[in-house]
Amino acid sequence: MISVNDFKTGVTIEVDGDIWRVMEFQHVKPGKGAAFVRSKLRNLRSGNVNEKTFRAGEKVAKAQIDNRKMQYLYANGDMHAFMDTETYDQIELPEKNIEYELKFLQENMEVQVIQYQGEVLGVELPNTVTLEVVETDPGIKGDTASGGSKPAKLSTGLTVQVPFFVNEGDNLIVNTTDGSYVSRA
């Protein structure tokens, strides 16, 4: 059991029979009444995000999550194969479980596969990934003065807003939490 006063971003808890990861939390101490903790939780099974309020000092069950380092191998229809880098065991995940992550996944990329009591819940990506620009409008000299941006399609099909100086064939570092451009690689 863990007290809601000990919440930290990334902690996994079990509430109402589901596994949740704490995305955000805020301790609130109103002038009148008891203190409480307002939190934003992501369901690791469905991916839904809920806001939940707990009374200060309330106890919730801490979910024991196992992260296994695995390598993304290939897509087979709507199933995606991953291989454990230590035991060489392979697992397949349905596309609906990793829809968001597919925008960043490339073959042979290493990721963390999240498991709870043997049940595979999903994939955890690194904070940033390097992807190649496959399609973008050419930058015109003098366009950079305004600091604008243009859309660029990356090798995985993801489209991000990039500065005008980025060209086709460039490798970009992309933030996986919000899908934004970070820098050129």
Side-chain angles (χ1 to χ4, degrees):
M1 297 295 271
I2 182 175
S3 169
V4 295
N5 297 339
D6 299 330
F7 271 7
K8 289 179 177 41
T9 302
V11 169
T12 49
I13 59 172
E14 192 171 349
V15 178
D16 302 329
D18 272 326
I19 311 303
W20 301 86
R21 172 164 283 145
V22 177
M23 309 277 290
E24 296 174 16
F25 65 96
Q26 178 183 15
H27 295 279
V28 180
K29 296 176 186 151
K32 181 181 177 191
F36 57 92
V37 176
R38 189 175 292 136
S39 62
K40 189 183 259 188
L41 307 172
R42 167 168 286 172
N43 186 321
L44 292 181
R45 286 192 176 115
S46 67
N48 295 342
V49 176
N50 275 355
E51 292 197 12
K52 190 157 176 65
T53 304
F54 298 95
R55 292 185 308 277
E58 191 175 334
K59 302 266 190 206
V60 292
K62 188 171 184 348
Q64 199 58 44
I65 298 292
D66 296 323
N67 285 340
R68 290 175 53 195
K69 192 178 203 176
M70 294 192 141
Q71 186 177 36
Y72 177 61
L73 296 178
Y74 58 87
N76 182 12
D78 65 344
M79 298 298 279
H80 296 269
F82 293 85
M83 178 183 71
D84 191 316
T85 55
E86 293 173 14
T87 63
Y88 303 109
D89 292 339
Q90 289 188 19
I91 61 166
E92 286 192 340
L93 292 177
E95 191 167 311
K96 67 178 179 62
N97 287 16
I98 55 171
E99 247 174 285
Y100 177 76
E101 289 83 356
L102 285 175
K103 297 175 187 172
F104 306 99
L105 276 177
Q106 295 177 301
E107 287 185 3
N108 302 321
M109 177 186 231
E110 290 198 347
V111 295
Q112 296 288 331
V113 173
I114 305 165
Q115 292 183 318
Y116 175 71
Q117 296 178 347
E119 174 190 1
V120 177
L121 298 175
V123 173
E124 195 170 284
L125 297 167
N127 292 334
T128 59
V129 293
T130 303
L131 300 172
E132 184 183 352
V133 177
V134 293
E135 183 182 315
T136 188
D137 298 328
I140 300 167
K141 190 169 184 158
D143 273 350
T144 58
S146 64
S149 61
K150 62 182 181 179
K153 189 172 184 181
L154 305 179
S155 55
T156 59
L158 176 69
T159 302
V160 296
Q161 293 295 320
V162 297
F164 287 118
F165 59 78
V166 173
N167 298 312
E168 286 183 22
D170 288 355
N171 286 323
L172 305 180
I173 298 174
V174 178
N175 184 340
T176 57
T177 54
D178 59 4
S180 63
Y181 164 84
V182 176
S183 68
R184 279 200 279 194

